[in-house]
Amino acid sequence: MTDVARVVVVDDDRAIRWVLERALAQPDLEVECIERADTALNRLLDNPPDVLVTDIRMPGIDGLDLMARVREAHPDLPVIVMTAHSDLDSAVASYQGGAFEYLPKPFDVDEALALVRRAVAHARERKRPVSVPEGLDAEIIGEAPAMQEVFRAIGRLSHSHITVMINGESGTGKERVARALHQHSPRGSQPFIALNMAAIPRDLIESELFGHEKGAFTGATAQRQGRFEQANGGTLFLDEIGDMPAETQTRLLRVLADGEFYRVGGHTSVKVDVRIIAATHQNLETLVEDGRFREDLFHRLNVIRVHLPKLAERREDIPRLARHFLAEAAKELSTDIKVLTPEAETHLTRLPWPGNVRQLENTCRWLTVMASGREVLIEDLPPELRDASSGEAVAGDWRVAFREWADRALAAGHTHLLEEAVPDFERILIETALRHTGGRKGEAAELLGWGRNTLTRKLKTLLPALAEGD
């Protein structure tokens, strides 16, 4: 039998008390209504309920003060704040005071009941310990075959100083991989310096890379070391290398060839020992063909290439990545770790994620701030993710989705994949063809490229309910 949860409603409006008392009269809920907050305070302190529902504006102690005093003694008590004065100040004050949720009047009674049930689930969930997921401190997370290839590359390069080019869409985690390559190299104890070419004004790039002498240009009031000097002995990560201006490409090529350079405005060469790891989301071969990237520099940088897959190409990693980012966000924001329900987790794995891992990370940070309860439901997701249908999420060539399914199945240890896939594949095609022909099997067989006898045999095996008649 389900445990009965105790709910206390505090409101000076008799009509509201009457409505909530009846709306919350459920087999798994026990409701107590109290007219005044000062009357309720001692009872709540001595015997806290599972959920407190309180109005804000009442005679004597107001609802926010009541919430503050009760939560000081019972910090895990979820409080739903109601008010007819649904202004911004009331909402902000409610959430700042630790409210579980804010319910403006007039409200829908079904919505109020659903909210109370969520608060009850939240209270019970908080009583269960949550372990920090494995890999919280890991540089990269990935069990998908494509990510295992990345791990193998990092392993093979762990004793090397060789130049590496990382290819991947924006948000796939190129800097994380660059850091891992550095940390697992002989230079791991030396500096790792990152510079994003796309984020620096063109006229400042050379100063950023090579430094400048005092008086080299207006505003250069002192000598300044560039990123090459800062990275001496270690690794310089040049992100979005495809955005590097032509004149800077020429200077970089000389540094890679000679191991020395001049600061802007300088006359004395500076020698450095730096490993270069470059990254781009662009196709450098195309940039070379278009004359926008030096071919000799491309060959200097493209010694070893590591390709990072899109998040949509490694869907089996999404649940673990989400748990990792939710734990990181909770640590960063000094709050409880949110937990995805199985339904929400499944929904996330079906989304297209055009912003890749960075988009998932930002979504987890958003959920940590915005989701009401400890458990994250599909309804808690940002609207643009919540409303995406699985059809939209996996839109595109069916072969891509099929390949991803095969990758996931093999990674999970499945065997005899053909025995599992082929019957489903044929069943879907038969059903679709029959739907197009209005159930006429002869025409369906022709659409599928089979003889009538072949379709009849397949129907008996795969869809016996459709095998009889025409």
Side-chain angles (χ1 to χ4, degrees):
M1 183 179 171
T2 306
D3 292 336
V4 175
R6 184 165 153 262
V7 181
V8 170
V9 176
V10 182
D11 197 313
D12 62 326
D13 187 328
R14 180 185 298 176
I16 293 293
R17 295 199 305 273
W18 186 88
V19 167
L20 285 175
E21 190 169 22
R22 278 149 187 78
L24 301 178
Q26 306 290 322
D28 58 336
L29 297 176
E30 175 189 306
V31 187
E32 179 185 359
C33 292
I34 304 174
E35 183 178 353
R36 292 177 61 95
D38 44 14
T39 306
L41 180 58
N42 289 332
R43 287 194 231 174
L44 293 168
L45 291 174
D46 294 340
N47 185 20
D50 293 285
V51 177
L52 169 62
V53 183
T54 180
D55 191 22
I56 290 185
R57 300 191 185 183
M58 295 180 286
I61 301 174
D62 70 16
L64 295 179
D65 194 14
L66 175 67
M67 176 171 65
R69 296 197 200 183
V70 175
R71 280 180 56 81
E72 188 176 350
H74 306 289
D76 289 342
L77 174 65
V79 181
I80 298 170
V81 174
M82 302 180 293
T83 180
H85 307 277
S86 50
D87 53 39
L88 177 61
D89 290 342
S90 297
V92 170
S94 299
Y95 287 122
Q96 285 182 340
F100 172 78
E101 194 55 274
Y102 175 77
L103 185 63
K105 299 176 185 177
F107 50 78
D108 180 84
V109 290
D110 291 334
E111 180 188 349
L113 175 59
L115 193 53
V116 167
R117 289 197 186 284
R118 285 198 59 192
V120 169
H122 170 74
R124 289 175 175 164
E125 184 68 28
R126 285 191 70 130
K127 293 174 184 174
R128 290 201 290 267
V130 173
S131 57
V132 174
E134 289 180 23
L136 178 59
D137 298 320
E139 308 115 76
I140 324 169
I141 289 171
E143 296 175 358
M147 285 305 294
Q148 291 300 311
E149 283 301 313
V150 174
F151 294 166
R152 288 189 192 98
I154 294 170
R156 292 189 192 106
L157 294 166
S158 61
H159 300 295
S160 171
H161 299 267
I162 202 164
T163 302
V164 178
M165 171 72 74
I166 303 172
N167 273 107
E169 289 188 0
S170 295
T172 47
K174 295 188 286 293
E175 185 170 340
R176 285 178 186 253
V177 171
R179 285 185 183 277
L181 283 165
H182 168 74
Q183 288 165 5
H184 295 282
S185 79
R187 297 171 181 259
S189 61
Q190 298 301 312
F192 174 86
I193 304 296
L195 187 64
N196 188 324
M197 296 288 105
I200 303 168
R202 295 174 71 89
D203 55 348
L204 293 180
I205 283 183
E206 294 205 8
S207 174
E208 279 290 331
L209 280 171
F210 309 115
H212 60 250
E213 298 290 352
K214 181 179 179 181
F217 50 83
T218 304
T221 56
Q223 185 192 74
R224 180 181 179 278
Q225 280 193 345
R227 301 303 174 95
F228 264 99
E229 283 180 86
Q230 293 169 16
N232 192 22
T235 300
L236 177 60
F237 173 54
L238 300 176
D239 199 4
E240 298 304 350
I241 192 80
D243 290 314
M244 180 179 279
E247 58 273 18
T248 311
Q249 292 178 33
T250 302
R251 288 201 66 180
L252 177 60
L253 184 63
R254 290 200 195 107
V255 177
L256 295 178
D258 305 333
E260 62 180 33
F261 60 88
Y262 292 88
R263 298 190 191 100
V264 175
H267 304 288
T268 305
S269 67
V270 179
K271 279 195 166 291
V272 287
D273 171 23
V274 173
R275 180 194 193 183
I276 297 292
I277 298 178
T280 181
H281 74 281
Q282 301 179 72
N283 186 320
L284 285 187
E285 285 92 337
T286 301
L287 295 183
V288 169
E289 289 172 10
D290 294 345
R292 290 184 287 154
F293 199 86
R294 290 188 62 126
E295 185 173 6
D296 43 6
L297 178 58
F298 168 73
H299 291 302
R300 278 272 183 185
L301 296 173
N302 195 42
V303 181
I304 298 288
R305 186 178 293 207
V306 175
H307 175 72
L308 288 191
K310 298 184 291 186
L311 186 55
E313 294 171 349
R314 44 183 295 222
R315 294 182 184 280
E316 58 266 57
D317 289 337
I318 290 174
R320 191 172 172 210
L321 282 166
R323 291 192 290 271
H324 169 73
F325 289 137
L326 286 169
E328 274 194 336
K331 185 177 178 182
E332 174 191 329
L333 299 168
S334 301
T335 187
D336 291 332
I337 300 174
K338 301 286 185 181
V339 179
L340 294 166
T341 62
E343 295 77 17
E345 201 170 83
T346 300
H347 184 80
L348 291 181
T349 63
R350 292 174 175 167
L351 297 175
W353 298 111
N356 294 299
V357 176
R358 186 183 298 126
Q359 184 186 4
L360 177 61
E361 181 177 10
N362 289 338
T363 298
C364 291
R365 190 175 284 113
W366 187 94
L367 288 170
T368 299
V369 174
M370 300 299 291
S372 302
R374 188 179 184 184
E375 275 198 325
V376 176
L377 310 177
I378 291 177
E379 304 91 86
D380 294 318
L381 297 175
E384 66 275 12
L385 301 184
R386 183 175 63 234
D387 301 333
S389 70
S390 56
E392 291 171 324
V394 296
D397 190 338
W398 64 270
R399 296 169 186 81
V400 174
F402 189 54
R403 190 185 305 277
E404 289 173 8
W405 171 82
D407 278 340
R408 286 197 300 273
L410 291 172
H414 291 208
T415 56
H416 301 90
L417 252 61
L418 284 173
E419 291 178 15
E420 183 178 348
V422 171
D424 284 343
F425 181 75
E426 292 184 339
R427 189 180 296 112
I428 290 167
L429 284 175
I430 291 168
E431 289 175 334
T432 306
L434 286 170
R435 191 165 63 249
H436 277 264
T437 64
R440 292 182 292 278
K441 293 169 187 166
E443 293 177 29
E446 192 174 334
L447 289 177
L448 293 168
W450 283 340
R452 173 66 184 262
N453 291 341
T454 301
L455 177 60
T456 302
R457 189 177 71 253
K458 295 283 186 182
L459 280 170
K460 286 178 181 176
T461 307
L462 301 171
L463 294 160
L466 300 178
E468 299 303 322
D470 199 345

